[in-house]
Amino acid sequence: MPPRFTPARVRADRRYRTLDKYRFIVGFLILPLAFYAVFVISPFFQAIYYSFTDWAGGATANFVGFDNYVKMWNDEKFWSSVQTSLLLLVFVPVVTLALGIFFAYMITAGGRHRRGEAVSGVVGSSFYKVVYFFPQVLSIALIAVVWQQVYSSRSGLLNGLLGEVGLGSLEQRWLGGDYKLGLFATMAVIAWSFVGFYVVLFSAAMGAIPKDIYEAALLDGAGRGATFFRVTLPLIWDTVRTGWIYMGIQALDAFAVVLIMVPGHVLKVTPVYLYERFREGQFGYATAIGVVLLVLSMAFTLIVMRIGRRETIEY
């Protein structure tokens, strides 16, 4: 009688189990992937197609080649909007992530050393998390309306506060006049609205770091600064890089904040310029602008992934 478990039979059994496993995976994912392909991937290809047409919203869309992109290349208003969007893309993530990391570190490890604890947060750290996260529960449109009133040159809270403390000479038309002031005001609002999310995100990442690592650093005589730059930041770097990408995409958008809060003659970002072209019925040209925004987002993501790549530290 031949042996029950021969090498050939074992290999056949392994192949069968592997095939059965992949059947289960495909059967489980096929419906979600189909929905994703229809409602997410398909619109991307449709947008790329319409960017090469003169579509004006009707039933016909004539193929015009690269005419929309040539028009875009010679459009000074488009390049002005791109310049503003790129400034937001560069500076807003840096400010937002820096504040998020600082506040998260203070909440997680910035308090006084307590007996039996290598690191501890400041007193009331849980309350601070709620306060920092509060803007995340508000809609971005509501945030823009509120800050529009804060920046108002007539009855705004900011100018009123400056006047009350004897700094009336610093009162400005924050949104209605100078481009730089409008850009600064927009950056401040975007950073304020998103910093709470990163405080919670980075706090969770820092809280996952084993306390033994901090204890070893303290035994070696490392201060707070050295502990942060040599222990905390390297261990949460993957989270920081992911947050950098996400915040950059949010800054590149900035549609609702600029459209609602800032007058169009002062500041205009590329998504707002795209919306105006749609409103005028230039759907093909607006779609081409959207494709350029997609390319900018992907290029930014690849750059951050490239320059932020480091060897993964396991603990």
Side-chain angles (χ1 to χ4, degrees):
M1 185 175 181
R4 186 175 179 182
F5 295 103
T6 63
R9 185 168 182 175
V10 170
R11 288 194 296 268
D13 185 61
R14 288 177 178 173
R15 286 196 298 268
Y16 175 79
R17 283 184 293 178
T18 302
L19 182 61
D20 189 59
K21 179 181 69 174
Y22 284 118
R23 283 177 180 171
F24 172 78
I25 294 174
V26 171
F28 187 77
L29 293 179
I30 188 168
L31 187 59
L33 289 177
F35 274 97
Y36 187 81
V38 171
F39 295 106
V40 179
I41 302 298
S42 175
F44 279 103
F45 288 102
Q46 293 179 27
I48 294 172
Y49 167 73
Y50 282 117
S51 70
F52 292 101
T53 68
D54 62 354
W55 184 43
T60 60
N62 300 314
F63 186 79
V64 294
F66 288 93
D67 287 0
N68 288 325
Y69 293 95
V70 173
K71 178 181 178 181
M72 197 187 311
W73 180 263
N74 298 312
D75 190 346
E76 293 183 0
K77 293 182 179 180
F78 165 75
W79 287 111
S80 177
S81 69
V82 170
Q83 178 184 358
T84 303
S85 293
L86 290 178
L87 288 174
L88 294 176
L89 177 65
V90 172
F91 292 106
V92 171
V94 173
V95 174
T96 307
L97 295 184
L99 290 174
I101 292 173
F102 173 75
F103 291 139
Y105 186 70
M106 294 301 296
I107 288 174
T108 307
R112 295 182 177 180
H113 298 309
R114 301 171 187 172
R115 183 175 300 177
E117 295 185 9
V119 293
S120 59
V122 296
V123 178
S125 56
S126 299
F127 172 75
Y128 291 136
K129 287 182 182 180
V130 175
V131 172
Y132 291 140
F133 193 76
F134 177 73
Q136 286 293 304
V137 305
L138 303 176
S139 72
I140 193 67
L142 179 60
I143 290 174
V145 171
V146 170
W147 277 96
Q148 185 184 45
Q149 298 303 313
V150 171
Y151 284 130
S152 175
S153 58
R154 295 183 179 180
S155 58
L157 178 63
L158 182 56
N159 281 343
L161 182 62
L162 290 174
E164 288 293 329
V165 298
L167 299 175
S169 60
L170 297 179
E171 295 181 10
Q172 302 285 343
R173 292 183 61 200
W174 300 99
L175 300 177
D178 187 64
Y179 169 82
K180 293 180 180 179
L181 286 177
L183 182 64
F184 172 79
T186 303
M187 289 181 179
V189 172
I190 297 175
W192 177 85
S193 61
F194 282 100
V195 69
F197 171 79
Y198 292 101
V199 170
V200 175
L201 178 66
F202 295 145
S203 295
M206 293 177 188
I209 299 175
K211 297 294 190 293
D212 296 345
I213 298 178
Y214 284 113
E215 292 176 355
L218 292 175
L219 289 176
D220 288 340
R224 292 189 185 275
T227 302
F228 173 75
F229 286 105
R230 296 184 180 181
V231 177
T232 305
L233 188 58
L235 291 178
I236 67 168
W237 182 250
D238 287 342
T239 305
V240 173
R241 185 176 60 177
T242 303
W244 191 359
I245 294 172
Y246 177 73
M247 191 62 233
I249 294 174
Q250 292 293 332
L252 190 61
D253 182 6
F255 172 76
V257 171
V258 175
L259 181 67
I260 297 173
M261 189 180 73
V262 186
H265 67 277
V266 175
L267 188 70
K268 191 166 296 182
V269 292
T270 307
V272 172
Y273 188 68
L274 181 155
Y275 165 74
E276 292 177 348
R277 303 291 76 76
F278 261 114
R279 193 172 56 184
E280 294 173 356
Q282 303 179 36
F283 295 153
Y285 183 50
T287 307
I289 297 174
V291 172
V292 171
L293 277 174
L294 172 63
V295 172
L296 287 176
S297 300
M298 294 179 65
F300 170 76
T301 301
L302 292 175
I303 290 172
V304 173
M305 293 292 290
R306 178 67 178 178
I307 65 177
R309 185 172 58 187
R310 293 186 180 184
E311 184 178 352
T312 303
I313 302 176
E314 297 181 358
Y315 55 87

